Amino acid sequence: MKTFTMNAMKTTSFLIALTLLAGACDNGFEAVNDNNNQPTDVSPSLLLPNAIYRTSYAYLADNWNIGVIAAQHGAQIQFGDWDRYKWDNGTGSLWNNFYGSLSDVMDVQRRGIAIGNPNYEAVALILKSWMMHNVTDGWIDVPYTEAGRAEEGISQPAYDTQEAIYAGLLLDLERADALIDESGTVDGDLLYDGDMTRWRKFANSLRLRLLLRASNRLPDAGARMTAIVANAPIFESNADNAIYDFTDQIPNDSPVSQQRDYDFTRTVPSQRLMDLLLETSDPRLFVWTDPTDNSAGSAAELYIGLPNGLSEEGMEQFNGGENNVSVFDRSFLLDKGAADAILMTYAEVQFILAEAAQRGLIAADAGAHYDAGVAASFAQWGAELPADFLTATRPYDGSLGRIMEQKWLALFSQGLEAWYDFRRTGLPAIAPGPANVNGDRVPRRFLYPAIEQSLNASNYAEAAQRIGGDTINSEGWWE
């Protein structure tokens, strides 16, 4: 990632390759009748790296390709169906990859219990909670209690309600916090290199995220958040950020860097992103975006964003064509390790606390948390915070709108999180583009993957009926 202060662990292709091959290789002949592709006793240290890698890869890919449009950090300059809200049931990449990794995560949990190392169980519970909250926030009611249990004969898992899923996630994160032995460690940890203190901070920071998201439905959300802040460790600086660091070593290269230049430049910075960065002289502009091709290298480089949801003709004609529209910084494409999977950050935690204080959920200084969140985001991206940014340009003005504006920026490359926030608060306002095909409504969810309709038909049908129909406009429990 383009940053100087982010504490993201450098991994190597050797470790990834070793992990991927571990279950398939055997160099002896003494057990010729064993199926080496189905080991009966696998160390959690061999399962954990692949689970972290696979989910991080899928999360970054979907945030870059889908989340950036849903949150309107970016806009499509060609083939703009997604930007016009013509969403179909083929957008299940995150669903498929997370559920595909869930069995490994649950195996890590089981093996941790079997070998008497509670830290593996805790890490598995945290990963599962992070994965499953993204799935339920994307699709609402989803398989949870029975998910990942094919070995038990459950091939058609029932869908749990989002309310029940959130209750389970919060319990699992609380249990993970209690289980962690900070003097111990785990092997195969590609996120925190076995540092259990930082895993514990991640668990409790994630609890804050979920409690705030469900705060309109949970009467005790504020009290529970207050207890966490008072008694449990949470992210204290950017050094605690949960970020999977892709490198320039194949196969650990960023999925963003694996695109062709043509595909990379089909999604460009949105007009709303560029206008806000330019209005506030925000130096993150130069970290995230490049000038228009026609002005690059000139004495007067231009940074121009594209309005969301234009027609194909409108895209082609805007400002004289695509060479007169900015693109995202090409280092994300050319540097195989420039884009990382951002699971959660210290900046986000500070904005969570700022909102909770502004709304009276916790007793705290909303302005101080807002300032800390803004400063942390600038530092995370290696951008210098202008001296007057927090006093004159964008000071905290007591409003939730100001908090959510800067949180939206801080969630760049985490567009799904920004989209979830909009669905919960309506802030910052997302306006459907003029050529949208969804009746001027912002979608509230993804459609269930098509395969669910054929392989898990009865459970799919029940869930779809329960949420008001398998449409992109059905609202979730916490909304």
Side-chain angles (χ1 to χ4, degrees):
M1 175 164 287
K2 297 171 59 174
T3 175
F4 300 101
T5 61
M6 188 177 299
N7 185 20
M9 182 187 66
K10 294 293 180 183
T11 58
T12 66
S13 59
F14 172 77
L15 181 55
I16 295 292
L18 179 64
T19 302
L20 296 176
L21 292 172
C25 295
D26 193 307
N27 60 2
F29 295 94
E30 56 272 45
V32 294
N33 290 321
D34 292 338
N35 183 347
N36 294 318
N37 291 314
Q38 292 181 321
T40 59
D41 188 13
V42 179
S43 168
S45 65
L46 296 178
L47 296 169
L48 183 58
N50 191 42
I52 294 174
Y53 169 77
R54 182 178 180 183
T55 52
S56 298
Y57 185 100
Y59 185 68
L60 173 57
D62 271 19
N63 267 291
W64 196 267
N65 297 323
I66 295 175
V68 69
I69 303 298
Q72 293 193 348
H73 289 137
Q76 288 181 303
I77 200 165
Q78 201 172 68
F79 310 122
D81 280 355
W82 184 259
D83 207 4
R84 292 190 288 267
Y85 301 149
K86 189 178 180 180
W87 295 11
D88 58 31
N89 54 16
T91 57
S93 174
L94 202 66
W95 174 294
N96 295 334
N97 281 286
F98 276 19
Y99 278 121
S101 296
L102 185 60
S103 59
D104 278 351
V105 173
M106 294 175 70
D107 278 344
V108 170
Q109 180 182 356
R110 284 189 286 264
R111 292 305 305 151
I113 295 172
I115 65 176
N117 187 336
N119 284 338
Y120 278 113
E121 181 182 0
V123 167
L125 288 171
I126 297 166
L127 283 175
K128 178 184 176 184
S129 298
W130 171 74
M131 293 161 59
M132 291 307 303
H133 103 69
N134 274 285
V135 176
T136 186
D137 288 346
W139 283 271
I140 308 179
D141 290 4
V142 298
Y144 175 67
T145 306
E146 295 185 351
R149 296 171 60 184
E151 291 184 358
E152 302 174 42
I154 302 176
S155 58
Q156 296 177 315
Y159 287 55
D160 296 80
T161 66
Q162 189 170 62
E163 180 179 7
I165 294 169
Y166 259 67
L169 297 175
L170 289 166
L171 284 174
D172 279 350
L173 289 169
E174 185 175 2
R175 174 167 171 74
D177 174 65
L179 280 170
I180 288 176
D181 174 8
E182 294 182 56
S183 66
T185 188
V186 293
D187 294 324
D189 175 10
L190 302 183
L191 193 62
Y192 284 132
D193 199 21
D195 186 334
M196 297 312 301
T197 298
R198 289 197 288 168
W199 273 107
R200 192 175 174 209
K201 290 178 180 179
F202 183 24
N204 291 311
S205 297
L206 196 53
R207 288 168 71 193
L208 292 176
R209 176 194 278 178
L210 299 186
L211 284 167
L212 183 65
R213 186 152 297 152
S215 59
N216 291 326
R217 293 292 189 178
L218 297 177
D220 63 343
R224 294 165 75 174
M225 294 179 76
T226 298
I228 292 170
V229 173
N231 303 310
I234 59 176
F235 287 169
E236 298 177 273
S237 72
N238 281 335
D240 296 323
N241 290 346
I243 296 176
Y244 182 87
D245 181 32
F246 290 97
T247 69
D248 59 359
Q249 299 296 314
I250 297 174
N252 194 40
D253 50 333
S254 156
V256 179
S257 71
Q258 295 171 20
Q259 301 179 82
R260 301 173 300 174
D261 182 83
Y262 175 83
D263 296 320
F264 177 81
T265 56
R266 293 311 88 197
T267 298
V268 300
S270 70
Q271 187 176 69
R272 65 177 303 165
L273 176 71
M274 300 296 272
D275 286 355
L276 178 57
L277 293 173
L278 288 166
E279 174 192 344
T280 57
S281 300
D282 190 325
R284 288 174 292 187
L285 170 76
F286 308 110
V287 181
W288 295 339
T289 71
D290 282 345
T292 65
D293 285 350
N294 278 346
S295 71
S298 71
E301 292 185 326
L302 300 175
Y303 288 81
I304 297 174
L306 180 73
N308 285 94
L310 298 179
S311 65
E312 291 294 330
E313 183 180 10
M315 294 174 188
E316 294 173 3
Q317 296 179 355
F318 178 76
N319 202 43
E322 63 183 77
N323 288 333
N324 294 309
V325 176
S326 290
V327 296
F328 285 113
D329 193 291
R330 279 193 171 89
S331 68
F332 291 121
L333 173 68
L334 302 176
D335 181 347
K336 295 184 181 300
D340 291 330
I342 306 173
L343 281 59
M344 193 171 191
T345 66
Y346 170 65
E348 181 191 344
V349 171
Q350 289 303 304
F351 285 118
I352 287 171
L353 296 176
E355 179 186 341
Q358 193 272 343
R359 291 174 50 197
L361 295 173
I362 64 173
D365 186 338
H369 287 300
Y370 168 86
D371 288 354
V374 172
S377 178
F378 275 77
Q380 174 188 328
W381 289 97
E384 183 176 355
L385 178 66
D388 62 350
F389 194 88
L390 295 174
T391 56
T393 305
R394 273 301 188 267
Y396 175 60
D397 61 2
S399 72
L400 182 59
R402 180 56 54 84
I403 294 171
M404 299 309 296
E405 173 197 85
Q406 289 300 308
K407 186 183 182 185
W408 178 76
L409 287 173
L411 289 173
F412 176 78
S413 195
Q414 287 177 272
L416 292 173
E417 275 301 311
W419 176 52
Y420 303 153
D421 267 345
F422 165 77
R423 287 162 46 196
R424 178 177 61 85
T425 68
L427 297 170
I430 293 177
N436 81 87
V437 295
N438 193 41
D440 293 328
R441 293 172 292 180
V442 177
R444 319 301 289 197
R445 63 181 292 274
F446 301 129
L447 298 180
Y448 289 125
I451 195 170
E452 285 293 295
Q453 300 179 38
S454 57
L455 298 185
N456 198 10
S458 61
N459 289 318
Y460 156 80
E462 179 183 356
Q465 189 277 331
R466 190 166 59 221
I467 66 173
D470 186 13
T471 78
I472 60 175
N473 298 311
S474 293
E475 295 188 356
W477 164 74
W478 49 253
E479 294 176 80

